[in-house]
Amino acid sequence: MSIQAGQFHELRLDRLGRRFGTVNALNDVSLTIRKGEFVALLGPSGCGKSTTLNCIAGLLASTSGGIWLDDRRIDPLRPEQRGFGMVFQNYALFPHMNVRKNIAFGLTMRGVGKDDIRRRVEEAVSLVRLNGQEEKLPGELSGGQQQRVAIARAIVIEPPLVLMDEPLSNLDAKLRLEMRAEMRRIHNSLGATTIYVTHDQEEALSLADRIVVMRDGNIRQVGTPEDLYARPDHLDVADFMGFRNRLDGEVIAVDGETAELAVGKARLRGRLREPVKPGAKAVLAVRPDDLVAVPPREGALPAPVISSEFRGRDHVGFAQGPGGRDLVFAAPRALAVGETVHLEAAAERAVVFAGDGA
């Protein structure tokens, strides 16, 4: 295959800022992305991830800082001068053009010769597995096929970077799973560098080499999927990485990297992510899968059941925790409303942060 990603060593965001009136959408964002990486920008709506991507693409002008591709500053350049491939949430295909012409559009605009266009389009079609669909219009394709066309159009120009803005959000659950695998395969085949915006932590975990978690225009943590899944540095990062249950308590004891908390009459333990001392307030965060119902015993947290759901192989329970907070836990069976369960989590599966979790 002769289609290859454009060559560079690193993309560097240096204290990048973007203001909308009096609102700071980005605050001194600094990040280095190396050639060949698949980097996910992850966070809730309004956190700055799409603004970051649009500044990199040149669709938005930054108001401070700079963007560097190796030793070349690119933030003053127009989008077409940067040469990046872009895959949008809504695909942005030309409805009157067939698959072949949609994919070839960027090459045509760059004045590439007809023979070279034909060869590269054929390779791109094969890479995204759309053989036999070349003469169809976008309206004759499924959502997944349209997304493949958009990806082929982005990669056929051999860009140094492929930028993707929530590209799977319009697909159903089955197609999202299929396309996740396809995107990673295509990325690996090209030796591409991809920056991928998503609000879905499962997507980020499954696709990315590194994840950048953002909040309020700031980078909160950068790390491998394994790092962020097991070792979130902040409570808001833990919350976004699936630690949905928060239990406020008082620190009873600290033993190395583990703290024991009094949560009402319960005694729960977790791994420290911030320094705490005995007597201080702290919050223990734990994923629903790791908070489990156990036989009544000393130290377990009693909680009344609100409801339970059957989800195929497993049951999930909902209970009212201390302070009225809802708790989601792995249930052994269907549970009756009002039934009292006793909940625990293994210390290595829970994390502890300083403060009251408000």
Side-chain angles (χ1 to χ4, degrees):
M1 184 180 70
S2 59
I3 294 179
Q4 296 292 327
Q7 297 301 304
F8 74 107
H9 293 293
E10 65 179 32
L11 174 81
R12 181 165 52 89
L13 310 184
D14 182 19
R15 295 171 294 173
L16 192 69
R18 169 69 197 193
R19 291 177 63 87
F20 294 97
T22 60
V23 177
N24 278 328
L26 293 180
N27 299 301
D28 290 340
V29 169
S30 294
L31 178 69
T32 298
I33 296 170
R34 297 177 291 275
K35 180 184 181 298
E37 279 195 298
F38 195 121
V39 173
L41 305 182
L42 175 67
S45 296
C47 72
K49 55 189 187 296
S50 289
T51 301
T52 302
L53 195 79
N54 286 330
C55 286
I56 295 170
L59 302 177
L60 273 178
S62 57
T63 48
S64 62
I67 305 173
W68 300 78
L69 195 66
D70 292 333
D71 57 358
R72 180 189 184 204
R73 185 167 181 175
I74 64 169
D75 50 288
L77 302 180
R78 296 191 303 272
E80 64 273 17
Q81 293 175 309
R82 303 185 191 196
F84 300 156
M86 188 87 182
V87 181
F88 298 95
Q89 181 177 346
N90 62 356
Y91 317 139
L93 302 178
F94 297 107
H96 63 289
M97 292 184 181
N98 63 22
V99 167
R100 189 188 307 278
K101 290 180 179 178
N102 262 288
I103 295 172
F105 180 78
L107 296 174
T108 302
M109 295 299 292
R110 286 165 171 77
V112 176
K114 289 184 178 180
D115 289 343
D116 199 19
I117 289 176
R118 185 182 306 109
R119 175 186 57 78
R120 287 162 70 173
V121 168
E122 287 176 358
E123 288 187 7
V125 165
S126 179
L127 184 63
V128 299
R129 298 177 178 174
L130 279 174
N131 301 86
Q133 311 296 321
E134 295 91 336
E135 303 306 319
K136 288 185 178 179
L137 297 173
E140 300 173 300
L141 302 174
S142 69
Q145 289 173 324
Q146 290 183 48
Q147 190 58 279
R148 290 170 190 265
V149 177
I151 293 170
R153 184 179 60 186
I155 63 176
V156 77
I157 62 172
E158 299 184 330
L161 280 172
V162 178
L163 310 175
M164 297 190 176
D165 192 1
E166 306 235 27
L168 305 184
S169 60
N170 289 335
L171 303 180
D172 62 37
K174 181 175 181 293
L175 270 177
R176 282 201 301 272
L177 287 174
E178 292 176 1
M179 286 306 300
R180 273 186 355 212
E182 285 296 283
M183 284 179 172
R184 188 69 216 200
R185 178 186 63 81
I186 292 166
H187 170 89
N188 293 341
S189 296
L190 289 174
T193 306
T194 303
I195 305 176
Y196 185 99
V197 164
T198 181
H199 63 274
D200 186 326
Q201 53 108 348
E202 187 176 314
E203 264 183 29
L205 288 170
S206 65
L207 281 170
D209 300 311
R210 284 193 301 154
I211 298 172
V212 180
V213 180
M214 300 188 69
R215 180 187 181 191
D216 297 334
N218 298 290
I219 291 178
R220 296 293 285 160
Q221 186 173 351
V222 181
T224 65
E226 293 81 4
D227 284 340
L228 271 80
Y229 186 85
R231 294 174 291 277
D233 285 343
H234 307 283
L235 186 56
D236 57 285
V237 175
D239 185 57
F240 210 81
M241 296 309 296
F243 288 84
R244 291 173 57 190
N245 297 305
R246 295 185 182 188
L247 293 160
D248 296 328
E250 181 179 310
V251 179
I252 301 170
V254 176
D255 181 10
E257 297 183 353
T258 302
E260 183 176 0
L261 273 62
V263 181
K265 294 182 179 180
R267 300 293 182 266
L268 302 174
R269 298 171 67 245
R271 293 172 294 118
L272 279 172
R273 299 306 298 154
E274 294 175 333
V276 297
K277 294 181 179 180
K281 290 182 177 180
V283 57
L284 181 139
V286 60
R287 288 190 176 85
D289 289 349
D290 296 324
L291 187 65
V292 297
V294 298
R297 60 187 179 217
E298 185 178 355
L301 177 69
V305 172
I306 300 170
S307 65
S308 67
E309 297 176 358
F310 178 59
R311 296 185 179 176
R313 292 184 300 174
D314 306 307
H315 288 85
V316 175
F318 301 83
Q320 188 174 69
R325 277 189 176 159
D326 288 350
L327 300 176
V328 188
F329 61 95
R333 52 178 172 79
L335 300 170
V337 174
E339 179 180 349
T340 297
V341 291
H342 293 77
L343 303 174
E344 277 188 349
E348 65 271 16
R349 309 295 289 179
V351 288
V352 175
F353 298 92
D356 59 8

